[in-house]
Structures are given as C-alpha cells and as structure tokens.
Amino acid sequence: MMQDSGFEDIRIGPAVDTFGGAGGEPNARKFEVFGYAFIGHKP
C-alpha cells in the first residue's frame, strides 16, 4: 500500500505490544495483535 502511494525505501519496525494494560488486552493476546512502525520516503 505504501509503494502504491509513491513511497520508496520502506522499512517495517519490530512488533510492539500496543494493548498492554488496555481493556482489550485479552483479545489482543488471543489473536496475537501487535503494532508496527513504518517509515518510507517519497522521491
């Protein structure tokens, strides 16, 4: 999707626990939901 938007040199960061302490944490654990940082640049 980022490439389709014109971004290049796209990098994806490591998985991050974004639901720790949240009300939906048990469901996030059950379905292995994590957040990821993305970075890229447009030429």
Side-chain angles (χ1 to χ4, degrees):
M1 181 178 0
M2 289 182 69
Q3 286 177 327
D4 292 343
S5 298
F7 286 91
E8 295 180 349
D9 194 28
I10 299 164
R11 309 261 185 218
I12 302 171
V16 177
D17 178 8
T18 56
F19 284 94
E25 183 176 4
N27 288 332
R29 297 278 177 262
K30 182 178 178 182
F31 293 103
E32 300 181 3
V33 176
F34 297 98
Y36 294 86
F38 293 84
I39 190 167
H41 72 275
K42 283 196 171 187

